[in-house]
Amino acid sequence: MSALAGNYKRKKISFIKGKGSFLITADGKKYLDFVQGIAVNCLGHANQKLINAINKQSKKLWHISNAFIIPEGERLAKRLVERTFADSVIFQNSGAEATEAAIKVARRYFYSIGKSHKTRIICIKNSFHGRTIATIHASGSKKMTLGFGPKVPGFDHFEYGNHEKLKKLINKNTAAIMIETIMGEGGIKVIPNWCVKAIRELCNKKDILLILDEVQCGIGRSGKFFAFEHAKVKPDIVPIAKGIGGGFPIGAVLMTKKVAKAMIPGTHGSTFGGNPLAMAVGNAVLDQVNNKLLNNVNKLSKYFFSRLNNLKSDYPQIIKEVRGMGLLIGLQLHNDQTKFIEKLMDNKLLTIRAAENVVRILPPLNVKRNEIDLAVKIMTKVCKELKK
Ligand SMILES: *Cc1c(COP(=O)(O)O)cnc(C)c1O
């Protein structure tokens, strides 16, 4: 029996190494990995430049307190600022910490301008913002909050697409609207561009901050560096994590000058957040998430979607919808997806579930066309078997 607690229902398989889009078991079996640690290993497994960066930094300095200047972090923050809407960055270690910090920044901003009554955050019901006590309540999911004590106040929820409810929830105490630009765990639901724009305008009109959680859909996954760039809006606060570390735990909250001003000494901190080892890796990730990589995402996304839509036409009784953007892809089935995912795995293709019967497909951003062909071949075989 495992000494690990039972909070995961783990597949009975383990891997000893990986290379690019593939994972290898102890007995030499090779799996096409279209989970990639849930959109974390954006450059695949064992990326040589990331190996070099971590090796080099590991011989110099791993960790030092944020009480001192950390040049690698200064550099990564500057590069993120140059590349995005943001003027300022706070580094964390995970997505939940990043979204929680985003909530703190929003509240502290209104406090700092004498509007301390503005504390409430509006979120989408059954979204996903992490597993800390505050973020599970932000997610508004019964399943995630069940048994975890008193409800954390300060969060209001509307259902995805229910714009009337969203407008009704806004009052003088609202500080922010916090949504995932593309809902990941919630079933790969894209918030349409016109809708992201309308929410931005609503925020402007009502003196509310816009927090766009790009922990899963950010760092090139959507085909642009941030998914909200498709809608041409400028958010106020953006938590990131997953992709930015390429497999090393890094989180961050990006923000505009306006709100960053509230984060004076002592308002927030993290022992590990932004340490030299993490920052060296983050810089090496950013080196590679360039236009060439984004072109690969866009080109192969188009190809993958067209192949998947063909598969849907061939098996309409199994596949209900192909969803997503870039290389954040969901195959929504008519029925429960468990068996489908198991069969893909039996055929050496790894995928992962999301809500609403969705099979989530997350190749690395540097995936190759022939790897997509292999995935489609396996999916076709499984559809054929399940149709019988
Ligand atoms: C994964 C995820 C988180 C939480 O990240 P952790 O690193 O697991 O804490 C938060 N928001 C979104 C959108 C995510 O996909």
Side-chain angles (χ1 to χ4, degrees):
M1 221 181 87
S2 175
L4 290 169
N7 58 323
Y8 275 101
K9 192 174 159 193
R10 298 176 204 273
K11 304 245 179 299
K12 294 205 171 17
I13 191 168
S14 68
F15 302 97
I16 55 161
K17 60 182 178 185
K19 185 75 199 157
S21 298
F22 291 92
L23 279 170
I24 293 133
T25 61
D27 54 358
K29 289 197 187 94
K30 203 169 153 189
Y31 284 75
L32 182 57
D33 180 14
F34 278 10
V35 179
Q36 292 292 334
I38 315 195
V40 166
N41 311 311
C42 58
L43 300 165
H45 297 284
N47 176 270
Q48 194 54 51
K49 287 179 180 146
L50 297 191
I51 293 171
N52 294 348
I54 201 166
N55 278 344
K56 199 169 154 209
Q57 186 60 40
S58 73
K59 294 184 184 109
K60 293 198 285 188
L61 183 63
W62 289 24
H63 179 81
I64 187 164
S65 165
N66 278 300
F68 305 98
I69 288 172
I70 300 171
E72 297 81 7
E74 296 281 346
R75 175 157 181 258
L76 183 55
K78 185 159 184 271
R79 295 174 76 193
L80 286 168
V81 162
E82 277 166 2
R83 188 135 183 206
T84 68
F85 77 101
D87 302 306
S88 214
V89 181
I90 297 175
F91 287 112
Q92 305 280 301
N93 311 285
S94 68
E97 279 181 319
T99 51
E100 185 134 350
I103 295 163
K104 286 180 73 178
V105 170
R107 287 183 178 162
R108 190 71 193 200
Y109 163 70
F110 283 112
Y111 172 85
S112 76
I113 61 165
K115 295 183 182 175
S116 53
H117 57 282
K118 284 174 85 73
T119 56
R120 301 198 70 85
I121 316 283
I122 298 176
C123 304
I124 295 178
K125 187 140 194 68
N126 295 322
S127 53
F128 189 84
H129 299 291
R131 295 286 198 157
T132 61
I133 288 284
T135 55
I136 55 176
H137 286 95
S139 303
S141 144
K142 246 199 196 124
K143 207 171 121 196
M144 277 200 286
T145 52
L146 190 69
F148 292 117
K151 189 173 169 177
V152 173
F155 298 100
D156 299 306
H157 296 97
F158 67 103
E159 311 279 338
Y160 173 90
N162 191 343
H163 301 130
E164 287 315 305
K165 178 78 186 284
L166 165 61
K167 283 179 198 155
K168 260 191 221 148
L169 287 175
I170 296 172
N171 61 36
K172 67 176 194 333
N173 298 326
T174 305
I177 296 174
M178 178 165 81
I179 54 177
E180 297 163 77
T181 322
I182 302 171
M183 294 174 69
E185 308 297 310
I188 315 294
K189 279 151 87 167
V190 179
I191 316 272
N193 289 341
W194 65 267
C195 188
V196 179
K197 266 191 207 135
I199 291 175
R200 173 73 271 183
E201 278 159 27
L202 189 62
C203 287
N204 291 348
K205 214 168 79 191
K206 302 274 183 183
D207 188 22
I208 298 170
L209 298 172
L210 178 59
I211 305 172
L212 292 176
D213 181 345
E214 294 249 353
V215 168
Q216 189 157 163
C217 62
I219 325 298
R221 180 66 45 193
S222 75
K224 289 192 185 285
F225 191 76
F226 281 134
F228 62 76
E229 291 171 22
H230 293 280
K232 299 191 170 65
V233 302
K234 202 177 140 178
D236 300 286
I237 303 168
V238 172
I240 63 171
K242 296 194 166 90
I244 187 63
F248 197 93
I250 303 179
V253 54
L254 277 59
M255 65 203 111
T256 61
K257 203 163 36 213
K258 178 175 106 172
V259 296
K261 270 197 278 187
M263 301 310 284
I264 56 172
T267 49
H268 191 58
S270 165
T271 298
F272 296 113
N275 84 10
L277 202 55
M279 298 295 97
V281 177
N283 274 303
V285 169
L286 218 52
D287 287 341
Q288 296 177 78
V289 182
N290 50 25
N291 284 339
K292 190 173 155 223
L293 187 75
L294 295 185
N295 286 341
N296 189 64
V297 173
N298 288 313
K299 195 177 77 194
L300 291 185
S301 165
K302 223 180 195 173
Y303 178 66
F304 207 169
F305 270 91
S306 96
R307 298 279 322 257
L308 291 172
N309 276 310
N310 287 341
L311 190 65
K312 182 190 141 203
S313 311
D314 291 345
Y315 297 95
Q317 62 284 78
I318 296 173
I319 301 170
K320 189 174 170 194
E321 197 185 12
V322 184
R323 300 169 164 182
M325 199 188 264
L327 292 174
L328 182 53
I329 303 172
L331 216 53
Q332 189 190 34
L333 308 188
H334 287 286
N335 299 311
D336 182 81
Q337 74 280 56
T338 310
K339 201 166 161 199
F340 194 91
I341 290 172
E342 265 169 25
K343 278 183 167 291
L344 292 178
M345 193 168 125
D346 292 343
N347 287 280
K348 305 208 166 49
L349 170 62
L350 304 176
T351 58
I352 193 156
R353 61 193 298 128
E356 302 188 348
N357 298 338
V358 166
V359 179
R360 206 169 0 159
I361 305 165
L362 302 160
L365 305 187
N366 56 6
V367 65
K368 298 185 179 77
R369 183 183 286 256
N370 64 353
E371 293 163 351
I372 290 173
D373 288 336
L374 175 58
V376 174
K377 191 174 151 196
I378 294 169
M379 288 177 199
T380 309
K381 179 169 178 252
V382 166
C383 283
K384 219 176 266 169
E385 283 171 21
L386 284 172
K387 201 185 156 194
K388 272 185 221 151

